Amino acid sequence: MSVKASMQMTEGFLWGCATAAHQVEGDSVDDWSLWEEGVGRIYQDQRSGAACEWWRGRFAEDFDRAATMRNNAQRISVAWSRIEPTEGQFDEAALGRYREMLLALHERGMKPMVTLHHFTNPIWFADRGGWQADDAPSLFVRYARRVVESLGDLCALWCTINEPMVLATQGYLFGYWTPGIKRLKAAAQVAANLLRAHAAAYHAIKAVQPNSQVGYAHHHLGIQPKAPAFWNRFAAQAADQLMNNAFNDAFLTGVFKLPFSQPVTVASAKGALDWLGVQYYQERLATFNPLKLGNAIGTQKPPGVPVGPDDWGGIVPENLFKVIERLYKRYGKPIYVTESGVPDPDDTLRPRYLAESVRAIWRALGFNYPVQGYFFWSLLDNFEWAEGYDPRFSFGLFRTNFETQARTQRMSAVLYREICAHNGISAEIIAQYVPDLLPKLFPGAPGAPQVRLKERF
Ligand code: BGC
C-alpha cells in the first residue's frame, strides 16, 4: 500500500498575499512621504518614490502573478491620503482607481480583503494632531464609511486598522516612525484612539453593509523572558500586555489597559470584531535593566534559532500554531493569518518558513480552531518603512528590481503555487521543494531517513 500523506485545509480556505498601499503604490503624498524627507530616518535616506508602481498601473501585472500562484484571495490596502486628500473632500477618481483594482482581483478569481488603514495618514490629518487628536476616531470613521459606501459592492471583508500597537509604539514610544515622538503617554493616547476608531468603524461598516465581515490585523510578537529571573519575567509580561493583550482584551471587556497606564473605558469596543487577523513574524527575549532610566524594558534576539537582519528577532514559524491556539482560546473569533513572512533576499529561509507556517495552520484546523485564510507577506519586495529598500529586508515571493521594475520569481513563489493548488502540503511537495523538512513533517515518506525503534527508546 502506498501512502500519499497530505495536510490539507478546509474547503474554501483563502490563499493569498498581503500588500499595503504606501509600500507598493508609489507617488504617495502622505505623512510618511513627508517623514521620508528627513535625514537619517530611512535606510540610506531613501524615499518610497515610485515603489512598485501600482498607482501607475502595475497592480494588474502583479495580480496576474498572484493568480498564477493560484491565489484565490488578496489583501490590499487603500490609502486614506488619496481618498480624502483634503479634509472633508473625497476624491472620486481615487475611489475609481481602487474600483479598478478590486475588479481586477475579481476578474482573476481572487476575493479581496481591504485594509482601510495601514500606517499612513493624510497630511491634513497629521497636521491637526494625527492620532493624538480627540476627534481622530470620528474623522477616520467618516472616511471608512465613505469607502464602504463606494466599494462595498466589490468587497465584504474589511480590515479596519493594521497593527495599531505597532503604529502607536513605533511612532509615539520609540520614535522610529512618524511623528517621531518618544512618550509612553502619547503612545497610550494614540492606541486608545485607534481602538475607538476601530470600534466606531466596525459599527459604521456593519450599518452600511450588514453582510460584511469586519476585523483588524493584530501584530503578535513572540515574547519570552531572557532568563527566568523575576525581573526579566516582569519585563516579558509588560511587553506581552503592551503588544499582545491590551488591545484585544478590550474586545472582551470594553476596557483598555496598557502597562503603567490608567485603564481607559472604550465600551463600544466590546464585541466589535467579526474576525481576528494575526500577523506573526518573530520571537524576542525580554530583559529588564533598572539602570536604563525610562527605558528599562528591552528585547533581544533569542539564541539557537534562525534570526533576521539587524534587530529582527528569531524566526520560528511552527510557533504560529501556539499563537493561533492562544488567540482562539482567549477571544473565540474566527482567525485569518493576515500577514506572515520573512526578510530573506536569497530565499534560503522562506521555503521552509512557508511550509512550516502552512503545517502550523493545518494543525490548528485539526484542533477545530477556525482559521479561514492565509495571506503571505508579501507578493513582491516593496518599501519596508524605516528599512526602505534595504535588500536584506526583501519579503517578496517575487524579487523587485526597483531600477527597472522587473520582477523575478523566487523559488518560494513556485512552492506557494503548489501549496495553493493542493490546498495544503503533501509529502511530494515537501520532498521536491523543502527536502530537509521531510523527516520532520512526513517522517514515514520515502526518502525521509528512518529512525529505528530501538534507537528511539
Ligand atoms: C507590517 C508590514 C511590514 C511587515 C514586515 C508588518 O508588521 O504590517 O507593513 O512590511 O510587517 O516588516
Side-chain angles (χ1 to χ4, degrees):
M1 185 187 81
S2 87
V3 182
K4 284 203 181 291
S6 192
M7 299 175 181
Q8 281 180 299
M9 307 297 163
T10 35
E11 221 184 292
F13 188 85
L14 297 186
W15 294 102
C17 301
T19 51
H22 187 89
Q23 295 177 270
V24 291
E25 285 179 356
D27 309 308
S28 300
V29 181
D30 55 29
D31 59 345
W32 257 88
S33 60
L34 279 188
W35 175 253
E36 290 159 21
E37 288 174 14
V39 175
R41 293 171 176 167
I42 314 291
Y43 171 75
Q44 295 185 347
D45 288 338
Q46 292 171 339
R47 313 246 171 122
S48 50
C52 303
E53 293 192 348
W54 276 25
W55 203 250
R56 299 181 193 174
R58 277 191 204 273
F59 66 86
E61 58 165 281
D62 289 331
F63 290 173
D64 285 341
R65 294 185 173 93
T68 311
M69 287 191 295
R70 309 280 203 97
N71 287 185
N72 60 6
Q74 210 61 213
R75 174 176 176 235
I76 63 168
S77 85
V78 293
W80 186 1
S81 55
R82 292 195 194 276
I83 293 172
E84 192 181 355
T86 309
E87 184 170 352
Q89 287 178 28
F90 291 89
D91 184 336
E92 290 304 327
L95 283 162
R97 191 78 169 138
Y98 285 124
R99 278 197 85 75
E100 279 174 43
M101 284 192 200
L102 295 179
L103 282 167
L105 288 178
H106 286 291
E107 278 160 16
R108 290 162 179 77
M110 291 185 277
K111 177 175 177 168
M113 172 188 280
V114 173
T115 305
L116 294 166
H117 189 277
H118 197 123
F119 295 156
T120 59
N121 301 299
I123 290 171
W124 61 262
F125 176 81
D127 281 349
R128 62 196 293 303
W131 285 103
Q132 286 180 283
D134 289 343
D135 58 354
S138 61
L139 293 169
F140 176 72
V141 172
R142 180 175 62 179
Y143 148 73
R145 190 179 293 117
R146 183 59 180 257
V147 173
V148 175
E149 280 164 358
S150 301
L151 304 177
D153 57 329
L154 298 174
C155 176
L157 192 52
W158 300 99
C159 174
T160 55
I161 298 176
N162 183 73
E163 300 187 341
M165 291 315 302
V166 172
L167 175 65
T169 51
Q170 293 286 79
Y172 299 83
L173 180 62
F174 306 125
Y176 298 139
W177 292 1
T178 180
I181 294 172
K182 298 184 187 172
R183 269 190 297 121
L184 178 63
K185 220 173 159 197
Q189 188 188 8
V190 163
N193 269 345
L194 288 165
L195 179 64
R196 293 184 185 103
H198 162 85
Y202 173 87
H203 295 295
I205 296 171
K206 300 298 276 189
V208 174
Q209 192 185 18
N211 69 338
S212 57
Q213 289 294 302
V214 186
Y216 95 103
H218 157 63
H219 180 98
H220 194 94
L221 188 62
I223 303 168
Q224 298 292 330
K226 183 174 179 204
F230 80 89
W231 52 88
N232 287 332
R233 251 188 281 157
F234 159 78
Q237 272 164 14
D240 198 33
Q241 177 66 11
L242 174 74
M243 296 308 294
N244 296 333
N245 294 337
F247 204 89
N248 287 335
D249 284 354
F251 295 115
L252 297 177
T253 60
V255 177
F256 185 47
K257 173 76 184 86
L258 288 179
F260 319 114
S261 310
Q262 289 299 316
V264 180
T265 300
V266 183
S268 55
K270 202 168 168 180
L273 201 66
D274 297 330
W275 54 267
L276 183 57
V278 53
Q279 332 215 118
Y280 169 65
Y281 284 93
Q282 45 171 314
E283 292 289 325
R284 303 194 67 85
L285 294 181
T287 56
F288 184 78
N289 182 349
L291 300 178
K292 282 193 180 171
L293 257 191
N295 202 7
I297 294 178
T299 63
Q300 47 182 253
K301 293 177 190 250
V305 292
V307 294
D310 281 354
D311 69 348
W312 194 270
I315 297 165
V316 193
E318 66 184 53
N319 281 3
L320 181 59
F321 171 79
K322 285 199 281 184
V323 175
I324 292 170
E325 176 162 72
R326 169 175 160 175
L327 292 172
Y328 186 67
K329 283 190 169 166
R330 197 157 164 139
Y331 305 107
K333 293 287 175 188
I335 288 177
Y336 287 94
V337 178
T338 37
E339 281 181 31
S340 157
V342 58
D344 182 27
D346 300 325
D347 213 34
T348 46
L349 298 171
R350 193 174 288 103
R352 187 184 178 111
Y353 181 94
L354 189 50
E356 292 224 55
S357 302
V358 170
R359 192 231 191 185
I361 294 172
W362 171 81
R363 277 187 74 198
L365 288 168
F367 278 64
N368 246 39
Y369 302 142
V371 188
Q372 320 261 13
Y374 181 70
F375 294 92
F376 193 79
W377 185 273
S378 183
L379 175 55
L380 73 171
D381 297 344
N382 54 49
F383 179 76
E384 179 54 24
W385 309 112
E387 280 72 34
Y389 296 112
D390 180 345
R392 295 173 308 149
F393 285 87
S394 300
F395 282 88
L397 292 166
F398 287 80
R399 178 192 300 276
T400 311
N401 178 327
F402 291 100
E403 260 147 45
T404 62
Q405 288 293 331
R407 280 74 158 130
T408 326
Q409 180 177 262
R410 290 193 168 101
M411 204 268 275
S412 293
V414 183
L415 169 60
Y416 198 37
R417 188 187 67 213
E418 296 288 312
I419 291 174
C420 299
H422 186 75
N423 199 23
I425 49 179
S426 64
E428 277 156 339
I429 294 175
I430 297 304
Q432 186 172 353
Y433 295 96
V434 214
D436 291 356
L437 262 187
L438 203 58
K440 181 172 175 190
L441 301 197
F442 297 100
Q450 302 297 305
V451 182
R452 290 244 176 85
L453 264 186
K454 69 172 189 233
E455 287 168 22
R456 276 209 190 141
F457 294 104

